[in-house]
Amino acid sequence: CSALLRIADFQEVLGEPTVALAKLRELCFSGIPFDGGLRCLCWKILLNYLPLEKALWSSLLKKQRDLYSQFLKEMIIQPGIAKANLGVSREDVTLEDHPLNPNPDSRWNTYFKDNEVLLQIDKDVRRLYPDMAFFQRPTDYPCLLILDPQNEFETLRRRVEQTTLKSQTVARNRSGVTNVSSPLKTTPSSLSEYEVLPNGCEAHWEVVERILFIYAKLNPGIAYVQGMNEIVGPLYYTFATDPNSEWKEHAEADTFFCFTNLMAEIRDNFIKSLDDSQCGITYKMEKVYSTLKEKDVELYLKLQEQNIKPQFFAFRWLTLLLSQEFLLPDVIRIWDSLFADDKRFDFLLLVCCAMLTLIRDQLLEGDFTLNMRLLQDYPISDVHLILKKAKELQDSK
């Protein structure tokens, strides 16, 4: 019964012509029901993708989804067509834009640089939530722009396969003799890891790969940093499992824009040069310890005395918004509270503190090695307990 009442509360707030943000935040903070795609909708509002005026939603969504199709055409399809045409007509290629042209403005130079980023993304997205089959499964809405059977152009998947095959074919051994292995006999491990889906299908991880590749192209200042895959994964999973098929069909574009907005708020954590600035990750890690010192000085002193620095564990907790510490459904529940926090991720510091205080007895008894193991592989899986504790810490300020 209380669950139904909660759903009714959400529906009431979301039913208004202008959504009352403060009310919505308060509801979402305590967890969003999955029913009826409520979470997908709330996240889109909390991440500033959808405006508060409902009348603007449909035109905005259409505009953004068209824009995303444009990105796909410019950044994946056109370079892919150029590459395919090149293979056909070698003789028209002028020297200026030959793949081996060292000139930094050469289109090819960009193409090869992109390949380095793409291979890194590829390695990371294939490993997303290995304990769940979801990311290996085919999507219900494969991207027709890219998977159109008429297309002869090079897709990202083909780019990765060719680049990997090329680098595999010529492997130098230590004595300087080049060992040319037959690509047919030895498939690179990264490719044989998963069966490739039949033509016209694509797996969910391939969609995540595209989102990250386009993000990297549009944000050259940060490009792609390992760990971004862990941020995009839960967003995409949430949108791609939306019970409402009209929304689910556009999970890729919607995820891209929500991810971009979320990264705008947390990207400083990924930029090394900002580590020591007020907005950088070092400052935030120190803040976890100074908050702990306020709330539980005995535990704080113990960690200090054992020389357990916050970067040993809090770096990952904060940068990846705890996506590595819990199972996906629990990560999603924690994110309900984080996205609803109007002070944007101040609450995350309290969640980290709560995680420490909840294992304080073990930490106070353990030695350095034991404690490091606890913090690297956090033992408590009841996120409701952790969030409740974090809320108590917040209220006791």
Side-chain angles (χ1 to χ4, degrees):
C1 170
S2 67
L4 286 173
L5 284 173
R6 272 186 67 66
I7 293 171
D9 288 343
F10 274 92
Q11 283 167 338
E12 188 184 336
V13 173
L14 294 166
E16 295 292 325
T18 301
V19 176
L21 187 58
K23 241 190 227 166
L24 184 70
R25 282 191 193 282
E26 200 181 317
L27 282 174
C28 295
F29 187 82
S30 319
I32 307 169
F34 173 73
D35 309 71
L38 284 174
R39 175 175 279 126
C40 309
L41 183 53
C42 292
W43 279 16
K44 288 178 177 113
I45 297 170
L46 295 174
L47 292 171
N48 303 317
Y49 177 45
L50 286 179
L52 298 175
E53 294 77 35
K54 272 177 79 170
L56 304 175
W57 287 1
S58 60
S59 61
L60 175 117
L61 288 170
K62 184 178 180 336
K63 192 177 115 237
Q64 296 301 87
R65 290 161 179 176
D66 290 347
L67 178 61
Y68 187 75
S69 296
Q70 213 33 58
F71 293 155
L72 290 179
K73 286 180 187 140
E74 281 168 31
M75 291 170 219
I76 295 177
I77 295 175
Q78 280 162 4
I81 291 173
K83 179 88 192 296
N85 291 346
L86 197 90
V88 182
S89 51
R90 291 292 336 195
E91 59 278 29
D92 329 336
V93 182
T94 55
L95 195 61
E96 273 84 81
D97 213 12
H98 188 275
L100 298 177
N101 175 8
N103 174 358
D105 320 330
S106 152
R107 260 206 332 235
W108 290 111
N109 209 329
T110 317
Y111 181 86
F112 292 125
K113 270 217 182 67
D114 289 349
N115 270 4
E116 288 167 31
V117 175
L118 179 59
L119 287 181
Q120 180 62 58
I121 294 174
D122 190 74
K123 224 174 38 229
D124 295 344
V125 293
R126 286 171 185 258
R127 293 195 294 247
L128 262 181
Y129 291 96
D131 47 342
M132 282 178 59
F134 172 80
F135 286 96
Q136 312 312 326
R137 288 209 186 106
T139 75
D140 295 343
Y141 299 98
C143 177
L144 299 176
L145 269 178
I146 285 184
L147 293 178
D148 173 1
Q150 254 56 64
N151 280 340
E152 278 307 305
F153 74 85
E154 186 186 44
T155 57
L156 289 187
R157 182 203 285 175
R158 234 176 277 165
R159 256 175 99 155
V160 169
E161 284 166 11
Q162 288 173 343
T163 313
T164 320
L165 281 171
K166 275 196 194 98
S167 56
Q168 288 280 334
T169 316
V170 181
R172 269 176 171 268
N173 67 19
R174 285 234 167 112
S175 59
V177 181
T178 307
N179 153 34
V180 179
S181 60
S182 149
L184 296 172
K185 289 205 185 82
T186 55
T187 49
S189 57
S190 67
L191 297 178
S192 53
E193 224 167 305
Y194 301 114
E195 48 182 322
V196 171
L197 296 167
N199 272 344
C201 294
E202 57 180 350
H204 288 294
W205 67 262
E206 295 184 67
V207 181
V208 176
E209 173 164 273
R210 243 191 335 260
I211 292 170
L212 287 165
F213 181 71
I214 288 180
Y215 179 81
K217 290 280 291 170
L218 287 171
N219 296 275
I222 182 171
Y224 172 74
V225 181
Q226 212 169 1
M228 288 181 183
N229 54 317
E230 307 295 350
I231 301 280
V232 89
L235 284 177
Y236 174 73
Y237 173 82
T238 301
F239 295 167
T241 53
D242 193 322
N244 178 344
S245 58
E246 274 168 64
W247 289 86
K248 185 179 178 176
E249 185 177 346
H250 298 285
E252 179 175 353
D254 293 348
T255 301
F256 172 80
F257 290 108
C258 286
F259 171 68
T260 301
N261 291 358
L262 177 56
M263 280 305 295
E265 299 189 32
I266 62 170
R267 60 181 280 171
D268 296 348
N269 296 347
F270 287 90
I271 300 177
K272 285 210 171 48
S273 59
L274 287 177
D275 279 359
D276 299 320
S277 66
Q278 284 271 306
C279 49
I281 188 73
T282 310
Y283 176 76
K284 291 179 185 139
M285 290 190 295
E286 296 301 338
K287 196 108 166 58
V288 171
Y289 265 25
S290 58
T291 312
L292 181 68
K293 189 177 175 180
E294 265 168 53
K295 308 285 184 192
D296 188 338
V297 73
E298 187 189 357
L299 179 55
Y300 166 79
L301 290 171
K302 174 75 178 183
L303 295 174
Q304 287 290 50
E305 173 201 320
Q306 291 190 348
N307 204 11
I308 293 180
K309 298 191 181 342
Q311 44 270 46
F312 296 160
F313 59 93
F315 179 80
R316 188 176 72 191
W317 292 6
L318 295 166
T319 309
L320 303 182
L321 306 182
L322 296 169
S323 61
Q324 289 283 282
E325 313 316 310
F326 302 98
L327 295 170
L328 187 57
D330 295 331
V331 172
I332 288 172
R333 167 62 194 93
I334 292 171
W335 284 16
D336 287 345
S337 296
L338 294 185
F339 295 165
D341 169 22
D342 60 349
K343 296 209 179 43
R344 274 321 195 216
F345 309 113
D346 268 11
F347 187 66
L348 177 58
L349 301 173
L350 293 169
V351 175
C352 294
C353 256
M355 286 167 69
L356 295 171
T357 53
L358 285 170
I359 53 169
R360 76 185 299 271
D361 298 348
Q362 290 151 278
L363 289 171
L364 290 172
E365 278 169 28
D367 59 7
F368 175 85
T369 316
L370 214 68
N371 286 345
M372 279 301 295
R373 198 172 302 147
L374 276 176
L375 295 167
Q376 291 282 337
D377 187 7
Y378 188 75
I380 297 178
S381 57
D382 181 355
V383 296
H384 297 283
L385 184 65
I386 295 167
L387 291 168
K388 191 168 153 245
K389 182 74 187 163
K391 183 83 181 91
E392 282 166 21
L393 294 176
Q394 189 181 47
D395 296 341
S396 71
K397 273 196 166 163

